[in-house]
Amino acid sequence: MTVFVALLRAANVGGTGSLPMAELKAICEGLGFSDVKTYIQSGNVLFRSDEAEKTVEERLDEALGKTMGKRPGVMVRSRKELDKLAADAPFPKAKPNFLLVYFLPEKPPGDTLEKMVAPDGEEAKLAGREIYVHYPNGSGRSKLKLPALKTGTSRNLNTVRKLAEMAAAMEGKD
């Protein structure tokens, strides 16, 4: 069985999309996923499934939509993808909590960063289906404008590393 990491968009952020992690776990188990584990209250869930990544993503998004009233958007990644994202992180002088990885539903066009407006010195780099963004002053007050980020969900580098570590531990149980 493959270990998947699902990242929910707009779950438990700013008072919208409230979904207790125990409920997220129960939804995943109800879909037949096994060894379900959640990590922090921001829509991160790990599990095993024999299904293909896109099937898992679609089924989970649909089930969450029924519970939450609308589909939140779910991005599913493997441990290897998370390991690579952590290892290849650009901006080596960035604090890990100021470097966000935006997970997108599909690979953005090559000219995506040309549309970026970064008034506070933010830097970005494309990497497959993800975009790294370094917020030198933190993301909370940033005025960054990058339209491609709207369809995705972000996690800071510390969280990406922790999810990769948890997925590796689950794979080690095989």
Side-chain angles (χ1 to χ4, degrees):
M1 278 195 172
T2 303
V3 173
F4 291 106
V5 179
L7 307 150
L8 278 57
R9 187 176 165 273
N12 301 308
V13 177
T16 62
S18 182
L19 178 70
M21 293 299 98
E23 191 172 347
L24 174 58
K25 182 177 181 187
I27 289 168
C28 289
E29 290 171 342
L31 290 170
F33 304 153
S34 60
D35 294 332
V36 180
K37 294 175 179 40
T38 61
Y39 176 67
I40 64 175
Q41 192 72 22
S42 61
N44 305 300
V45 61
L46 299 90
F47 53 83
R48 293 177 186 273
S49 176
D50 283 330
E51 296 176 311
E53 177 182 297
K54 281 293 172 197
T55 303
V56 165
E57 198 172 77
E58 176 62 25
R59 288 184 65 225
L60 181 53
D61 200 30
E62 182 181 358
L64 290 167
K66 289 176 182 172
T67 299
M68 299 171 75
K70 74 174 196 171
R71 290 178 173 220
V74 176
M75 276 39 87
V76 173
R77 300 296 189 265
S78 69
R79 187 235 352 126
K80 287 181 182 178
E81 288 173 301
L82 294 180
D83 280 345
K84 183 164 177 38
L85 287 165
D88 294 350
F91 319 118
K93 293 183 181 174
K95 295 178 187 172
N97 57 325
F98 282 43
L99 178 54
L100 272 59
V101 179
Y102 284 84
F103 296 87
L104 306 174
E106 56 193 41
K107 184 177 178 176
D111 66 350
T112 295
L113 298 183
E114 292 173 19
K115 300 172 178 106
M116 183 170 84
V117 177
D120 296 320
E122 297 90 349
E123 303 171 276
K125 181 181 178 197
L126 290 175
R129 295 185 287 172
E130 286 75 34
I131 300 175
Y132 294 96
V133 178
H134 172 224
Y135 293 92
N137 301 319
S139 63
R141 291 192 275 282
S142 173
K143 304 288 188 238
L144 175 75
K145 289 184 179 42
L146 184 53
L149 302 181
K150 290 184 179 173
T151 63
T153 186
S154 66
R155 301 297 185 271
N156 72 41
L157 189 57
N158 287 329
T159 299
V160 172
R161 288 174 176 156
K162 181 63 178 178
L163 291 169
E165 177 186 305
M166 290 173 70
M170 286 175 69
E171 287 177 351
K173 292 180 181 178
D174 289 340

